[in-house]
Amino acid sequence: MKLYYAPGACSQASHIALREAGLDFQLERVDLRKKVTASGEDYRQINPQGYVPALQLDNGDVLTEGPAIMQFIADHAPAAGLLPTEGIARYRGIGWLNFIATELHKTCSPLFSPAITEEQRKPIIERLSARLDTVEHTLSTGRYLLGTEFSVADIYLFVVTGWFGHMNIPLKKWPHLERFREVVATRPAVHAALEAEGFL
C-alpha cells in the first residue's frame, strides 16, 4: 500500500494508524500547493479532490477521506484492535471519527488562514471550546475515547488537537485532554510517524 501524505496534515492520523496496525506501506509526500507528488505525479490524478490523505491499495484501488481510510486500516488488521469489530462499541468508535472530522477538524480549518481576523476567530473558538468540553467529559471517565481501549478515533483526536497550539488555543482548560495527549505521544507508532514526517 502507499499513503499519500503531507507532513502534519490530517493524513498523519492515517500514517499513525498504519504503523499501529503493523501493515506494510510506503509513504509518498504531496506538495499540496502544486498538487504534485514527490515522484512528480499529478496528485489530482490520484485524488481529484487534491487533498490528503489517499491510500493506494495493492490492487491499485485508491481510498480517500481520513475516517474511511482509518476504518479500512482497522478492519484490515483486526488483531491490532484499532476499532471494535462488532457491537455498539464499533459504532461509538465510528461516531467519534465522524465527530472529530465534522466538529473539530472542519471547524478549525478556517483558523489556518493568515487572513482571519480576531472577530472571525471568536465564534470559531467558542464552538471548538464547546466541542472540546464534550471530549473532556468523555476522557474524564476513561483513558481513551472508548474507555480502556485505544482506537483510530484516539489517533485522529491526537492529530487534530496537535494543531491547536499553532492556532493559539491552549488546552489547559481541558486537563484530561492534555493527559490523553501525553499518553498517546509515548506510543512507539506515534513517535515513528512523527519522526518520519520530520517533527522529531
Side-chain angles (χ1 to χ4, degrees):
M1 291 187 285
K2 182 187 288 186
L3 178 68
Y4 293 91
Y5 81 104
C10 60
S11 53
Q12 191 175 83
S14 297
H15 183 182
I16 294 170
L18 283 164
R19 291 183 184 273
E20 287 280 356
L23 295 174
D24 235 357
F25 69 97
Q26 299 173 357
L27 285 172
E28 177 113 17
R29 185 169 176 161
V30 178
D31 183 325
L32 292 176
R33 287 185 180 156
K34 297 179 180 177
K35 309 299 182 189
V36 175
T37 71
S39 60
E41 294 178 89
D42 178 354
Y43 183 59
R44 285 164 297 197
Q45 296 300 310
I46 298 157
N47 180 4
Q49 300 287 354
Y51 52 69
V52 292
L55 183 66
Q56 187 174 59
L57 308 184
D58 293 341
N59 65 1
D61 286 344
V62 175
L63 292 176
T64 61
E65 306 302 328
I69 290 171
M70 284 183 276
Q71 287 176 67
F72 172 83
I73 292 167
D75 290 345
H76 204 63
L82 292 175
L83 191 67
T85 57
E86 58 186 8
I88 194 67
R90 176 176 178 81
Y91 300 102
R92 286 197 178 111
I94 293 170
W96 275 114
L97 284 173
N98 282 279
F99 175 88
I100 296 161
T102 58
E103 300 301 324
L104 296 180
H105 183 176
K106 286 303 176 187
T107 298
C108 73
S109 292
L111 299 176
F112 286 110
S113 170
I116 193 168
T117 66
E118 194 55 43
E119 187 178 348
Q120 292 168 326
R121 271 176 56 91
K122 189 177 178 183
I124 297 172
I125 300 296
E126 287 174 356
R127 181 173 177 181
L128 282 172
S129 293
R131 300 303 182 263
L132 289 177
D133 287 345
T134 300
V135 171
E136 178 72 7
H137 174 73
T138 298
L139 292 176
S140 73
T141 63
R143 188 175 179 87
Y144 301 114
L145 291 172
L146 297 182
T148 59
E149 300 302 316
F150 182 74
S151 73
V152 285
D154 297 304
I155 296 171
Y156 197 12
L157 178 62
F158 174 80
V159 170
V160 171
T161 55
W163 302 334
F164 284 27
H166 303 290
M167 297 183 291
N168 296 317
I169 305 173
L171 296 180
K172 290 180 182 177
K173 181 184 172 186
W174 303 281
H176 291 97
L177 176 58
E178 280 196 308
R179 174 203 50 81
F180 162 87
R181 287 191 48 76
E182 290 169 2
V183 168
V184 175
T186 66
R187 297 180 71 88
V190 173
H191 188 276
L194 293 174
E195 185 173 41
E197 293 193 16
F199 290 98
L200 297 178

